[in-house]
Amino acid sequence: MSRQHFVLNAQTRETSGRSASRCLRRQEKLPGVIYGAKKEAQSLTFSHDELLHALEHEAFYSSILEIKIDGQSQKAVIKDLQRHAYKPKLVHIDFLRVDENTEITMNVPLHYVGTCAAVEDEGGVINHLMNEVEIICLPRNLPEYIEVDISGLKLDETMHLSQLKVPEGVRIVGLEHDNDAAIANVHVPRAVVEEEPAAPAEGAEGAAPAEGEAAPAADAKEQK
């Protein structure tokens, strides 16, 4: 699969603390940090809008990123992202440096493909129980996503992690811990039957007269 290449520009940040971070955000800058690979953590400043635009791409979350810090490139992956509670704003971002010879643990999205006959011919409904999966691999083997072929799934069948076809050099974390979790299934939805209101008992007040019977007389007015 072809990959997108993401490049982010960052500057070293000398100041820290809440006050300094608020000041950066007012300037449309985003505070962040990069750490790992047996090197010291660095406090960084990013363009808020540049990062917000990059985050619109699904592949950004599962890619090896190139971060140019004061012009010097480093390879990293996104590890944590804080967003504003109700505004379309970012608050802080963390990156983990990658070493080509050290495995990383990442979540990658699942892309469901194929046409399921149980849906087309038998009225079944596909349930996607997972939208991403946690994997372990070397940075060079990191997939952008993993395809889930549901074309062979039959009615009332369930697909599990062990049935995923992952690229060479990629391991699924759940299977490493004997957790072969379900990722999708197909079932016929249960019909919802509305109960009909029960007919009023014969002779009950307000009951409709039987066919051929006269309607009950209205209450007589008080005799003069």
Side-chain angles (χ1 to χ4, degrees), residues 122-197:
E122 301 179 69
V125 173
I126 287 285
N127 299 307
H128 297 166
L129 306 178
M130 285 189 184
N131 292 316
E132 62 180 20
V133 63
E134 190 176 22
I135 63 169
I136 302 172
C137 64
L138 290 172
R140 61 177 172 271
N141 295 327
L142 180 64
E144 183 177 325
Y145 58 86
I146 293 176
E147 286 191 351
V148 184
D149 186 0
I150 60 171
S151 58
L153 201 58
K154 296 181 174 58
L155 196 64
D156 294 327
E157 278 190 347
T158 299
M159 181 176 288
H160 293 82
L161 288 174
S162 57
Q163 295 171 264
L164 286 177
K165 294 182 179 180
V166 298
E168 184 177 355
V170 174
R171 309 194 313 277
I172 297 174
V173 172
L175 298 180
E176 296 281 299
H177 298 89
D178 298 321
N179 179 22
D180 192 11
I183 58 176
N185 60 33
V186 56
H187 294 292
V188 174
R190 294 180 180 178
V192 179
V193 180
E194 294 185 4
E195 293 185 2
E196 295 183 2

Side-chain angles (χ1 to χ4, degrees), residues 30-31 42 44 58 70-71 80 83-84 103 153 157 170 174-175 177 186 190 193 212 215:
L30 178 68
Q42 286 179 274
L44 304 174
E58 180 189 55
D70 300 328
D80 189 47
R83 297 179 183 267
H84 194 279
E103 289 185 325
L153 201 58
E157 278 190 347
V170 174
L175 298 180
H177 298 89
V186 56
R190 294 180 180 178
V193 180

Side-chain angles (χ1 to χ4, degrees), residues 102-114:
T102 302
E103 289 185 325
I104 56 175
T105 301
M106 293 283 292
N107 286 329
V108 297
L110 297 176
H111 284 190
Y112 290 85
V113 299

Side-chain angles (χ1 to χ4, degrees), residues 5 38 41 48 53 61 90 99 119 141 161 164 186 198 205 207:
H5 181 61
K38 300 179 180 179
H48 178 276
H53 177 70
Y61 298 87
L90 307 175
D99 179 348
V119 173
N141 295 327
L161 288 174
L164 286 177
V186 56
E205 184 179 352

Side-chain angles (χ1 to χ4, degrees), residues 28 31 33 51 58 66 88 156 199:
E28 297 299 321
V33 65
L51 251 170
E58 180 189 55
E66 181 181 355
D156 294 327

